[in-house]
Amino acid sequence: MKNRMPEAIVAGAGGHGKVVVSLLQELGYRVIALLDDDRSKWGSCILSVPVEGPVKKLREIACSGAILAVGSNRTRLDLAEKFQGMTWLSAVHPYSWVHPSVKIGEGSVIFAGGIIQPDTVIGRHCIINTGVTVDHDCRIEDGAHLAPGCHLAGNVFVGKGAFLGVGVSVIPGCCIGKGTIVGAGASVVSDLPEGVVAVGVPARPVRPLSGEEKHE
């Protein structure tokens, strides 16, 4: 049938899943199912989309593609590895601005108000949340999450699976290591090593990641 809406699945039926569903609907997708391993959510609906069962059903439902709407960076990357061969959608909100030279990996999402400047590279299954700005020549590795209101100046490197909390600012040329968590409102003015929690103005490492945090 001509003009049929493309169909998508979203894995993750929490608050992040709701925003991903909204984004896909704005882009003209028909989201046919949400999947979540929390049994208490099965049979409910989010934005008129039913929660059909566990994430393992990803391979059972025919669609144009899927997005992993899971807030935990580690879990999101683990699921991407588990479901190799899936068609992962990348999605860019129409009320964002992304320069044509920007490279966006599969499964990554850019929400409303995002601004991504020239020659930035965004890896696979990244979250560029509401109102984030990323200036020229940045590199954001697989599975990283920039929370709402983050601002990255030019030539910033964000390592695999790193998390930058709400309102984090990063000056030009800084590197944030793999898996590192930067607390909300921090200002990054020098490189941060991998595997630490950093907070403050300026941001300083306060402790290594715990075993549980490394697997979030």
Side-chain angles (χ1 to χ4, degrees):
M1 181 185 300
K2 290 185 178 180
N3 300 321
R4 181 180 176 182
M5 295 173 68
E7 295 178 336
I9 300 171
V10 173
H16 181 53
K18 180 184 293 186
V19 183
V20 171
V21 169
S22 172
L23 167 56
L24 289 171
Q25 290 173 336
E26 191 70 26
L27 291 172
Y29 283 88
R30 177 172 172 254
V31 183
I32 57 175
L34 283 148
L35 302 175
D36 199 290
D37 289 339
D38 183 350
R39 288 176 174 268
S40 69
K41 295 178 180 179
W42 299 356
S44 64
C45 287
I46 295 176
L47 299 180
S48 301
V49 179
V51 183
E52 296 282 3
V55 174
K56 69 181 182 181
K57 293 182 70 174
L58 268 172
R59 297 196 189 279
E60 300 174 13
I61 304 174
C63 64
S64 301
I67 288 179
L68 294 169
V70 178
S72 162
N73 293 347
R74 181 67 268 160
T75 301
R76 199 164 61 254
L77 288 172
D78 285 347
L79 286 171
E81 183 70 20
K82 180 178 179 180
F83 290 97
Q84 287 188 44
M86 283 291 301
T87 298
W88 302 115
L89 302 173
S90 58
V92 178
H93 198 283
Y95 294 124
S96 62
W97 185 86
V98 179
H99 190 269
S101 65
V102 172
K103 297 178 181 178
I104 303 170
E106 63 179 14
S108 290
V109 290
I110 298 173
F111 289 119
I115 298 174
I116 316 296
Q117 296 284 13
D119 293 322
T120 285
V121 177
I122 297 171
R124 302 166 57 249
H125 302 286
C126 293
I127 301 171
I128 311 300
N129 225 311
T130 308
V132 168
T133 65
V134 179
D135 222 290
H136 63 89
D137 299 293
C138 288
R139 184 174 183 88
I140 301 167
E141 296 276 90
D142 294 351
H145 180 177
L146 309 185
C150 285
H151 299 295
L152 275 56
N155 290 292
V156 168
F157 174 89
V158 179
K160 182 177 181 180
F163 173 75
L164 278 59
V166 172
V168 168
S169 298
V170 187
I171 69 168
C174 284
C175 295
I176 296 169
K178 176 181 177 182
T180 282
I181 295 172
V182 184
S187 292
V188 180
V189 300
S190 59
D191 292 353
L192 295 174
E194 69 175 64
V196 301
V197 176
V199 300
V201 180
R204 301 184 191 280
V206 292
R207 61 177 174 85
L209 292 181
S210 67
E212 182 176 336
E213 287 168 327
K214 288 179 181 178
H215 293 88
E216 285 184 349

